[in-house]
Amino acid sequence: MNIQFAESASADIVAFMIDEGGDLPAAAKTLDDAAGGLLSEALAADNFTGKAGQQAFIVLPKGAEARRAVLIGAGKKDKRDARAFEKLGGQLYKAHANSGFASLALHAGKAEDAARIAVGVRLAAYRFDDYRTKLKDEDKPTLSEVTLILKGDKTAQDLFAALSAGVDGTYMARDLVNMPPNDLNPETYAAKIETLAELGLEIEILGEAELEKLGMRSMLGVGQGSVKESKLGIMRWMGGQKDEAPVALVGKGVCFDTGGISLKPGAGMEDMRGDMGGSAAVVGAMVALATRKAKANVVGLVGLVENMPDGNAIRPGDIIKAADGQTIEIQNTDAEGRLVLCDVLWYAQEHYKPKAIVDLATLTGAIVIGLGHHHAGLFTNDDGLASALTDAGMTEGERVWRLPLGPEYDRQLKSKFADMRNIGGRQAGSITAAQFLQRFIREGQTWAHLDIAGVAWVEGEKAPTDPSWASGFGPRLLDRWIAENYEG
Ligand code: BES
Ligand code: MN
Ligand code: ZN
């Protein structure tokens, strides 16, 4: 998708935004006259009021400046935020993607609004067709060029460049989550991460021998039933002050979660291809930061494993020792995400002394019950971090909702034999999972955990800006959080 900003442009389709209850914009008047009043007629129709999302299509006479005109409802003037403009861009793209026309030009208003419309177009234009061999021509999008017409096109272009880096991150995260687990396993995933060096990221991949030496037995335990080698992927973007401590982003990268010996039921298990969604958010965020050359030091760490049942797999009853020395009694091999994260969190603290750590994981089914598909669960030991992440999520439309931590919940992790067990019983499952992680966070370390199990993918009817199975949740939120808090 080629997106341009210009003071004027010609295109197959020319579109105009109409405020709810509003009139034709001045820019549409000449065309309306040339077309014998067809635009005014469409605007006067009872079923077009300018309500957000409405569209009226007008076939223009031969010789007119475009082949089609479109009026798109922009809703009430005082009720429009960034989200509304992204949605408008998404609706516009969706309605004309397969129209047979290649180019569309929209008369956009202010630079910020135009940039958000462009973001919406890009989010909506995402496709995951790599595995289709029989895609019919009529199902292939024809629209390949969208121009936003406005005065101040240079400002809009600059605003969009920064936002668009976030969308690059979203695309990356969507691709990774959508990919089938036979093609995205810890080894191929690590190889994919290595190619990101071309963006200027410093990449380091640790394999099983190195992880063994570090004592990361908890993470290795999860992967030991898989024929694929477990990997720790590390991505550094050092765009900030030299010697300044970085921010750490940590992601759960369970490339497929069968549950292990505590096998999951068969129905819907294929969704567990997305159980690396936390890691995808981290990789996507690193892509965004490198693409816009962020002035911050950030390290992304992803624990890549596959949770398989096998003669060599970990069992319920096993007691393993994590890298920081604490022992864990496995009671359910399906509570594997926390076993991966605890060792990666240890590594992040031991090797980077980060200013703050944010981990992301499709950690619990319980968070889907609690918050549904509209907010990720937020757990943190720092009120400032809670509001910074909440604000960043609101700004980018990737919303998070804080849930509590506390010693009462932590007690549910008591084990008869070891320092802790890996499940906390039926009650407050998302909170006890977070408590488990917090046991690996050192005194004084600022930390937040985002449980994204409900938002990493969503089935069924969705917003036009979220067109595939994988939502790509995370990169835009993280990129915004870093931009607002760590770049001077
Ligand atoms: N990957 C799952 C969580 C999950 C469930 C993600 C549904 C997305 C959608 C995780 O590894 C898991 O299996 N969690 C268990 C924990 C339980 C055994 C304590 C769960 O939530 O049932
Ligand atoms: Mn599991
Ligand atoms: Zn899992």
Side-chain angles (χ1 to χ4, degrees):
M1 173 55 56
N2 178 5
I3 297 180
Q4 312 266 357
F5 298 83
E7 284 195 9
S8 68
S10 63
D12 300 325
I13 305 170
V14 57
F16 302 94
M17 293 196 282
I18 307 290
D19 296 335
E20 189 161 343
D23 209 350
L24 276 186
K29 295 261 159 68
T30 333
L31 178 62
D32 190 38
D33 288 344
L38 285 175
L39 275 63
S40 316
E41 196 179 305
L43 183 62
D46 286 344
N47 62 354
F48 189 90
T49 58
K51 228 173 123 167
Q54 284 182 343
Q55 293 190 49
F57 306 145
I58 299 126
V59 179
L60 295 172
K62 283 248 180 295
E65 68 174 74
R67 308 281 298 281
R68 301 281 187 273
V70 174
L71 306 182
I72 180 160
K76 293 210 174 72
K77 226 178 173 156
D78 50 350
K79 290 236 167 93
R80 292 196 290 245
D81 57 6
R83 213 71 333 92
F85 286 108
E86 285 173 6
K87 200 166 171 193
L88 187 147
Q91 285 161 337
L92 200 59
Y93 174 81
K94 194 176 173 188
H96 306 282
N98 295 62
S99 60
F101 294 111
S103 59
L104 182 150
L106 171 74
H107 289 264
K110 283 191 302 198
E112 302 92 87
D113 304 344
R116 285 292 177 176
I117 292 169
V119 166
V121 170
R122 270 205 77 196
L123 286 172
Y126 173 84
R127 313 261 312 177
F128 186 71
D129 291 333
D130 298 4
Y131 291 85
R132 298 184 201 283
T133 65
K134 297 182 194 316
L135 196 63
K136 296 196 196 79
D137 277 345
E138 71 251 36
D139 294 330
K140 291 182 188 155
T142 56
L143 190 64
S144 59
E145 200 175 314
V146 171
T147 307
L148 295 151
I149 301 176
L150 74 161
K151 291 207 178 64
D153 50 320
K154 293 285 174 292
T155 315
Q157 177 67 61
D158 291 347
L159 290 170
F160 177 63
L163 293 170
S164 191
V167 183
D168 286 348
T170 307
Y171 269 49
M172 171 59 80
R174 285 176 181 172
D175 278 348
L176 291 168
V177 172
N178 279 329
M179 272 183 79
N182 56 329
D183 281 347
L184 193 77
N185 59 58
E187 294 169 6
T188 56
Y189 196 168
K192 219 172 159 62
I193 288 172
E194 274 179 326
T195 67
L196 299 178
E198 61 192 38
L199 294 176
L201 290 165
E202 295 167 32
I203 309 292
E204 190 182 337
I205 306 287
L206 306 187
E208 288 182 355
E210 288 141 309
L211 299 175
E212 198 77 62
K213 250 194 223 132
L214 291 161
M216 294 171 67
R217 283 298 324 153
S218 181
M219 168 173 161
L220 286 171
V222 176
Q224 78 189 31
S226 169
V227 298
K228 303 296 181 194
E229 186 179 353
S230 299
K231 305 273 190 186
L232 175 64
I234 305 167
M235 296 151 278
R236 284 183 292 268
W237 175 257
M238 294 298 169
Q241 299 288 328
K242 204 169 167 287
D243 302 326
E244 194 175 338
V247 165
L249 308 176
V250 168
K252 168 180 173 181
V254 177
C255 295
F256 195 73
D257 180 13
T258 63
I261 298 300
S262 313
L263 194 64
K264 285 182 181 296
M269 200 202 274
E270 66 278 7
D271 282 0
M272 287 300 130
R273 72 202 280 163
D275 207 21
M276 27 56 66
S279 68
V282 172
V283 174
M286 299 309 296
V287 166
L289 295 166
T291 302
R292 69 172 178 83
K293 306 215 183 312
K295 290 190 172 51
N297 294 337
V298 183
V299 54
L301 305 107
V302 291
L304 310 179
V305 301
E306 187 180 51
N307 187 21
M308 300 294 273
D310 179 78
N312 191 44
I314 44 168
R315 291 156 291 244
D318 283 3
I319 295 178
I320 55 178
K321 188 177 239 161
D324 84 338
Q326 299 188 76
T327 57
I328 305 161
E329 179 194 352
I330 308 299
Q331 287 193 349
N332 190 324
T333 64
D334 198 10
E336 85 297 342
R338 60 198 76 181
L339 298 173
V340 175
L341 288 172
C342 70
D343 274 350
V344 184
L345 288 168
W346 168 81
Y347 187 95
Q349 293 168 94
E350 185 72 15
H351 292 259
Y352 291 100
K353 311 250 170 308
K355 278 188 184 164
I357 304 179
V358 177
D359 78 70
L360 299 96
T362 51
L363 205 60
T364 66
I367 203 72
V368 194
I369 305 300
L371 296 177
H373 299 300
H374 311 294
H375 289 85
L378 163 65
F379 303 84
T380 176
N381 58 9
D382 188 280
D383 293 344
L385 184 54
S387 56
L389 288 169
T390 304
D391 291 351
M394 288 300 283
T395 306
E396 296 306 325
E398 296 184 340
R399 292 175 297 171
V400 303
W401 196 263
R402 192 177 186 182
L403 291 165
L405 290 163
E408 310 83 351
Y409 298 108
D410 192 69
R411 280 199 279 279
Q412 290 177 233
L413 294 170
K414 264 199 195 141
S415 158
K416 274 204 290 287
F417 305 106
D419 297 339
M420 70 196 85
R421 56 179 187 154
N422 78 325
I423 54 172
R426 261 178 58 77
Q427 297 166 359
S430 304
I431 303 178
T432 53
Q435 290 297 158
F436 182 97
L437 300 180
Q438 193 174 25
R439 285 182 175 228
F440 296 85
I441 298 300
R442 296 176 184 175
E443 194 63 40
Q445 174 67 60
T446 304
W447 158 77
H449 156 60
L450 298 177
D451 192 336
I452 63 168
V455 294
W457 62 83
V458 181
E459 224 70 58
E461 202 53 34
K462 298 190 293 181
T465 44
D466 184 7
S468 85
W469 180 70
S471 67
F473 184 100
R476 294 174 65 212
L477 155 72
L478 295 170
D479 183 47
R480 169 68 52 189
W481 170 62
I482 287 162
E484 302 282 334
N485 296 277
Y486 299 96
E487 295 187 58

